[in-house]
Amino acid sequence: MSGKSTANDETRRLAAIDLGSNSFHLLVANYQDGQLQVVAKMGEKVQLAAGLDENENFTDAAVARALACLERFAPFLEGVPAANLRIVGTNALRAAYNARQLIDRAEALIGHPIEIIGGREEARLIYLGAAHALAEVHGRRLIVDIGGGSTELIIGEDFEPQALESLHMGCVAYTGTFFANGELSEKRFRRAEMAAMSELANIQRHYCQLGWQDPIGSSGTIKAAAAVIGARGDGDATLIERDALMKLRKTLIGFGNLDKVAMDGLKEDRARVFPAGVAILCAVFEAFDLKRMRYSDGALREGVLFDLIGRSTPEDSRRHSIESLMRRYSVETAHADHVAQSAMAAFDQVRDGWSLSEEQRLFLFWAAQVHEIGLAISHSQFHRHGAYLLEYSDLTGFSRPEQQALAFLVRAHRRKFAQKELEALPEAVRLTYQRLARLLRLAVMLNHARPEQAPVDFHLACDGDDLHLRLPDAKPQALLLNDLEQEAAYQQSAGLTLSYGT
């Protein structure tokens, strides 16, 4: 695998955990001189999606399986800096109503935040992993990844995805829907295929118009299908031909029951969900008229590592998302830059006293840049509109918790302090984001008059959660004094103290 790097970089130990709907995967690697060297790689069938009850809550048994797996993963994370570790959750954790309860227990066990990523962000990371594994293969690719709860389909070239989609169909979910009683028949198999065809119909025309030269499959179902076909002598373990897939389909239906599915090349713990996965794969072949598909080992966990490498650099996809938002919603860049400049000055003066990190500085900067995007909808309550756009847009590179945090900062940058929205954040980050919001509020206030020149210098000090703002000796403008008085009142109503003077 390869990535962009400066030669002779120090070795970085990186780790990624993918909390999938069917399996959990761990990948630990050393990164140096643009190369990843795998140190540890593990995968376990946890079947979170199969552990959802009729109310879409995880059962106690599913939670126990998840925690036991993470406990086994934990020793491999020793020595990995927190900034070099990322744990992402996918479809089952997106769907479960009680996902937060599992996440809280898992975070306490492993000592690191868990991020739920959206479907299209999952697709982007899958493409990134597969593209690096196929770095020497050129041309436009169709990447297909059939998971436990969702299927991601991506078209891209080199390392740039051009179409991303995540569809609500997966081998665990379809097993429960179409093969719940274990019966395997032509009728049931075809019903599963038609349901998948219906999902694919939404993207079929657009994807076919884009076109591709190389269909690629990744992850468990496609890996298992290639392995079984190879073991049957119908091809090798890296290529699925359409005729071989149809023979596999016929064989699976012939078993008559999920409990009887057993084949060379197929792991026992995948057997029950394998037919549903093959039905989805058959539908993909049919919808896109594929003749063959190659298997690639690169997938979500590899994509997470390569995304980590690019974070906080000019290649950070999150930075590109913020710039795209600013263009889309016609942000007044000069004013946004002034607010960001003031926010950074405030942050740097209280960083040590509040134990703030460089990543938190980045989020404050981004919030300052996009704090006015809601104006594109309405001037009235534009902070609320901006927060909505940030929380519910597909923002490349951002996880759902990151979007929620960014949305909170924009929501809280003016008027009464957003206590309700603050309490909706995970408890572990509330104090930090309350503090960041206070800094953003001051930065916006100091630039209220929208000066053409750079904002005024100021001195900000913290004593615990008490803030004191000292302005230049020159007499402050009446507007600024009025704003300071109102802001002090807003913060006091939230139980916070802001004092000011010259």
Side-chain angles (χ1 to χ4, degrees):
M1 299 179 190
S2 63
K4 297 179 181 178
S5 176
T6 303
N8 300 318
D9 280 350
E10 292 185 4
T11 301
R12 292 174 62 189
R13 177 64 63 88
L14 305 168
I17 297 178
D18 157 22
L19 308 179
S21 299
N22 191 43
S23 303
F24 285 7
H25 292 277
L26 164 77
L27 179 61
V28 183
N30 289 331
Y31 181 72
Q32 185 177 29
D33 295 335
Q35 300 291 323
L36 275 183
Q37 181 180 13
V38 175
V39 174
K41 193 172 186 178
M42 294 179 64
E44 288 194 19
K45 295 288 184 296
V46 175
Q47 295 188 317
L48 270 187
L52 287 168
D53 64 19
E54 63 276 9
N55 297 315
E56 295 295 296
N57 286 310
F58 291 130
T59 63
D60 291 342
V63 170
R65 291 195 301 271
L67 295 176
C69 177
L70 289 176
E71 193 168 14
R72 288 187 285 274
F73 283 177
F76 293 92
L77 303 177
E78 292 179 9
V80 179
N84 291 349
L85 167 63
R86 195 171 180 210
I87 307 172
V88 299
T90 59
N91 188 72
L93 283 164
R94 291 195 290 264
Y97 288 115
N98 65 341
R100 188 72 248 171
Q101 297 172 30
L102 170 56
I103 291 169
D104 288 343
R105 293 179 64 182
E107 289 179 341
L109 186 154
I110 215 156
H112 192 82
I114 292 171
E115 304 173 60
I116 309 305
I117 55 176
R120 288 185 176 172
E121 176 63 6
E122 182 181 353
R124 184 187 73 87
L125 292 171
I126 287 168
Y127 181 79
L128 194 58
H132 276 91
L134 300 163
E136 304 306 318
V137 180
H138 301 288
R140 190 172 290 174
R141 314 178 183 108
L142 168 68
I143 306 288
V144 180
D145 187 301
I146 300 171
S150 64
T151 294
E152 282 65 50
L153 299 102
I154 313 100
I155 291 179
E157 192 164 357
D158 295 326
F159 300 114
E160 293 298 323
Q162 297 168 0
L164 297 162
E165 195 55 75
S166 178
L167 302 179
H168 294 291
M169 55 187 193
C171 61
V172 177
Y174 269 37
T175 298
T177 302
F178 300 104
F179 308 104
N181 67 352
E183 180 187 342
L184 276 171
S185 65
E186 172 65 35
K187 181 178 179 180
R188 288 180 179 274
F189 212 95
R190 191 56 185 164
R191 283 180 61 200
E193 289 173 330
M194 291 306 298
M197 289 285 289
S198 178
E199 290 286 336
L200 291 162
N202 296 315
I203 64 170
Q204 186 177 15
R205 177 177 295 180
H206 176 53
Y207 273 46
C208 288
Q209 286 173 343
L210 284 173
W212 57 84
Q213 289 80 48
D214 198 12
I216 304 291
S218 66
S219 292
T221 289
I222 295 173
K223 180 180 181 180
V228 170
I229 287 170
R232 288 159 61 94
D234 292 330
D236 62 43
T238 62
L239 181 67
I240 300 172
E241 298 277 0
R242 184 168 189 157
D243 289 346
L245 180 61
M246 294 302 104
K247 286 174 65 177
L248 173 59
R249 177 187 187 277
K250 184 176 180 180
T251 301
L252 287 171
I253 294 171
F255 283 115
N257 193 282
L258 294 180
D259 293 333
K260 296 180 180 180
V261 175
M263 311 176 78
D264 289 342
L266 180 64
K267 294 180 180 178
E268 186 178 344
D269 58 5
R270 180 171 286 277
R272 284 191 64 84
V273 299
F274 186 56
V278 170
I280 294 171
L281 183 57
C282 288
V284 170
F285 267 69
E286 185 176 347
F288 297 118
D289 193 25
L290 302 182
K291 301 298 186 289
R292 64 187 59 84
M293 176 182 287
R294 293 193 300 121
Y295 169 72
S296 168
D297 199 37
L300 177 58
R301 54 198 172 275
E302 286 82 9
V304 170
L305 286 193
F306 281 108
D307 196 57
L308 259 178
I309 292 163
R311 285 199 161 192
S312 301
T313 73
E315 298 175 23
D316 193 332
S317 55
R318 298 174 299 175
R319 180 175 68 86
H320 297 306
S321 289
I322 295 298
E323 292 171 352
S324 176
L325 281 175
M326 294 176 72
R327 290 191 298 270
R328 186 186 312 167
Y329 295 110
S330 303
V331 167
E332 186 184 330
T333 54
H335 178 63
D337 288 344
H338 286 164
V339 172
Q341 186 178 334
S342 295
M344 295 302 93
F347 182 98
D348 292 340
Q349 292 178 72
V350 299
R351 177 204 293 261
D352 293 339
W354 278 354
S355 300
L356 298 172
S357 69
E358 192 61 28
E359 180 79 354
Q360 289 153 2
R361 189 179 194 272
L362 199 53
F363 269 74
L364 178 60
F365 175 80
W366 286 333
Q369 291 275 291
V370 298
H371 75 280
E372 287 191 334
I373 62 170
L375 287 171
I377 296 175
S378 171
H379 188 278
S380 175
Q381 303 291 314
F382 72 85
H383 53 308
R384 293 179 183 268
H385 301 313
Y388 183 90
L389 291 172
L390 286 165
E391 185 162 0
Y392 295 106
S393 296
D394 281 324
L395 297 185
T396 299
F398 287 94
S399 66
R400 288 188 172 184
E402 287 178 331
Q403 288 189 221
Q404 184 185 21
L406 197 60
F408 166 73
L409 291 177
V410 169
R411 168 66 181 84
H413 88 264
R414 67 194 289 262
R415 302 286 176 86
K416 291 182 180 179
F417 207 87
Q419 285 297 125
K420 180 180 177 182
E421 289 79 2
L422 178 65
E423 291 169 5
L425 295 177
E427 186 175 359
V429 302
R430 286 177 198 164
L431 178 59
T432 295
Y433 278 92
Q434 180 188 62
R435 289 170 168 176
L436 294 180
R438 296 175 73 188
L439 300 182
L440 180 58
R441 292 172 71 91
L442 288 177
V444 171
M445 182 194 64
L446 289 168
N447 292 276
H448 186 184
R450 306 178 93 86
E452 292 185 6
Q453 305 301 318
V456 297
D457 291 330
F458 60 90
H459 181 267
L460 186 66
C462 63
D463 180 9
D465 275 320
D466 292 350
L467 283 177
H468 180 72
L469 177 69
R470 192 172 74 243
L471 297 167
D473 292 336
K475 183 179 179 181
Q477 297 177 353
L479 174 61
L480 179 55
L481 288 174
N482 183 73
D483 287 345
L484 281 167
E485 182 180 356
Q486 180 64 71
E487 180 59 22
Y490 280 142
Q491 296 209 20
Q492 184 178 25
S493 67
L496 305 167
T497 299
L498 169 66
S499 57
Y500 55 92
T502 56

